[in-house]
Amino acid sequence: MFETDTQDVAQRAFTGDLPPEVRVEELIARAHRRYAGLDEGRLADYIPLLEQADPGWFGLSLVSVDGTEHAAGDTEVRFSIQSISKAFVFALVCEAMGHEQVHDRVGVNNTGLPFNSVIAVELNDGSPMNPMVNAGAIATTALMPGGTPAEQWEHIRSGLSRFAGRPLELDGEVYRSERKANQRNKAIGRLLESYGRLDTDPLDTVDVYTRQCSLLVTATDLAVMGATLADGGTNPRTGERVVSAEVARDTLSVLASCGMYERSGEWLFEIGLPAKSGVSGGIVAVSPGKGAVGTFSPLLDLAGNSVRGQRACAYLSRSLGLSLFASAAHPVSQKVS
Ligand code: GLN
């Protein structure tokens, strides 16, 4: 559809490097101090267990493409990855199936509607629309290689662990809690089936999807996973190639337009980075060629995005010059709210 001759593909194109390490360290600490006292938002309650989170938790980590970490706050607290898994499962499926297949079967356009919308599927003639909302994520999980749901789950668990550079474990309690409360996702699965959009059993696929959402991560894990995408698919900590550079690029493109649900446009305007959030309070924001920020704070806004996480990402994007759309590596006189 959109073709390029191989010789025309640029080798490297991004807006400079991160500032010196001491400056990054200082700005991470400053961002943490600045927003730690902010107590707007509310805890997610649609999975009963998420309501038990400590509203004071706040962790910030930046991992650069050379693998260096700068961190502040609760970066060791483990929480379920939730929707952030969608980004990395999408990358694994793209790697296995190729760009065209995923484009045709799942789609890459924003719905403008909440992440768990059923209407979005109906309005779009059964299209799951994009891999970052539940319908598209369920359709993506269905495409995961493996002859059985158990094999698909194992591929997802090991693939996300390669992104994180360490073995990720399932939180059995969160999984069981969500399994009891995921009627809406089952309905979305059945709806996709009715449109002939799934080749798997919808309830099996929703079960695999529920497991992938229940994998435990920390803010540091999110930063390493994001830095793997920033580094063209190679984990900067382990040196392992997890996905190709083309897949990393495609994943970041979808995150830019759809990663923050119906707030994606506003996010791109304010922060200018591909990113993904999840209802347990995590955000990963990726600056290609530079690194990634992982944040964790469980108080959410109405779209289900972490309040402190968004503010910290905005501050860091501007003060570190991370935005994709900045024409210079370092900011000159930006107002930072
Ligand atoms: N597991 C959640 C769901 O499927 C994830 C939602 C989210 O993080 N936005 O509804």
Side-chain angles (χ1 to χ4, degrees):
M1 181 186 8
F2 293 102
E3 287 169 0
T4 315
D5 286 336
T6 323
Q7 66 266 31
D8 292 338
V9 175
Q11 292 302 306
R12 202 116 178 96
F14 64 91
T15 55
D17 299 314
L18 286 171
E21 284 195 18
V22 283
R23 179 80 181 136
V24 179
E25 188 75 27
E26 178 193 320
L27 285 164
I28 292 279
R30 208 184 281 178
H32 191 271
R33 274 199 306 276
R34 207 175 162 111
Y35 300 113
L38 181 70
D39 59 4
E40 286 165 27
R42 54 177 187 84
L43 294 171
D45 57 3
Y46 84 113
I47 305 175
L49 210 65
L50 295 182
E51 266 186 305
Q52 293 170 19
D54 178 344
W57 278 331
F58 184 30
L60 274 183
S61 167
L62 183 149
V63 172
S64 68
V65 288
D66 68 11
T68 312
E69 182 184 13
H70 300 279
D74 302 309
T75 51
E76 301 302 317
V77 175
R78 301 198 309 165
F79 56 95
S80 54
I81 188 169
Q82 297 299 339
S83 273
I84 301 172
S85 66
K86 293 167 177 165
F88 299 96
V89 171
F90 174 71
L92 295 172
V93 168
C94 279
E95 183 75 14
M97 310 284 294
H99 181 107
E100 294 303 327
Q101 269 265 31
V102 181
H103 182 280
D104 295 349
R105 295 291 300 266
V106 184
V108 291
N109 279 318
N110 198 311
T111 63
L113 290 163
F115 66 88
N116 56 359
S117 175
V118 173
I119 296 176
V121 180
E122 289 285 50
L123 287 177
N124 292 288
D125 208 20
S127 167
M129 291 303 284
N130 76 68
M132 302 305 150
V133 291
N134 290 12
I138 292 165
T140 304
T141 297
L143 294 174
M144 197 69 201
T148 61
E151 275 176 33
Q152 288 184 309
W153 160 237
E154 187 41 38
H155 276 137
I156 289 175
R157 202 198 53 74
S158 65
L160 265 58
S161 298
R162 280 184 288 135
F163 270 110
R166 70 174 190 93
L168 299 180
E169 287 166 26
L170 180 88
D171 184 329
E173 239 187 309
V174 169
Y175 164 65
R176 285 187 293 277
S177 179
E178 176 153 6
R179 201 174 49 175
K180 282 197 204 129
N182 69 353
Q183 292 79 6
R184 196 175 178 92
N185 286 338
K186 289 179 182 155
I188 290 174
R190 285 286 186 213
L191 188 60
L192 292 174
E193 178 190 33
S194 78
Y195 277 105
R197 294 278 182 163
L198 289 185
D199 294 337
T200 55
D201 178 87
L203 298 189
D204 284 349
T205 298
V206 169
D207 186 64
V208 177
Y209 166 77
T210 306
R211 286 172 189 268
Q212 81 185 44
C213 289
S214 308
L215 280 170
L216 284 168
V217 290
T218 63
T220 299
D221 289 328
L222 292 182
V224 175
M225 294 171 90
T228 301
L229 293 175
D231 195 26
T234 300
N235 184 318
R237 285 279 181 86
T238 63
E240 187 184 357
R241 173 161 292 286
V242 185
V243 291
S244 70
E246 290 73 23
V247 164
R249 181 204 57 203
D250 291 348
T251 306
L252 293 177
S253 307
V254 181
L255 291 186
S257 58
C258 309
M260 301 300 280
Y261 316 127
E262 67 273 33
R263 297 281 168 79
S264 297
E266 208 172 319
W267 169 275
L268 208 54
F269 181 66
E270 294 293 347
I271 292 147
L273 291 175
K276 186 75 204 84
S277 68
V279 283
S280 49
I283 298 181
V284 59
V286 182
S287 188
K290 293 179 182 169
V293 177
T295 71
F296 170 57
S297 173
L299 291 176
L300 310 178
D301 68 12
L302 292 177
N305 297 322
S306 164
V307 176
R308 289 189 196 116
Q310 292 180 81
R311 299 290 285 271
C313 285
Y315 178 81
L316 290 172
S317 173
R318 292 181 194 188
S319 57
L320 293 170
L322 300 180
S323 169
L324 292 186
F325 307 107
S327 50
H330 304 296
V332 191
S333 62
Q334 287 264 22
K335 189 172 142 261
V336 175
S337 65

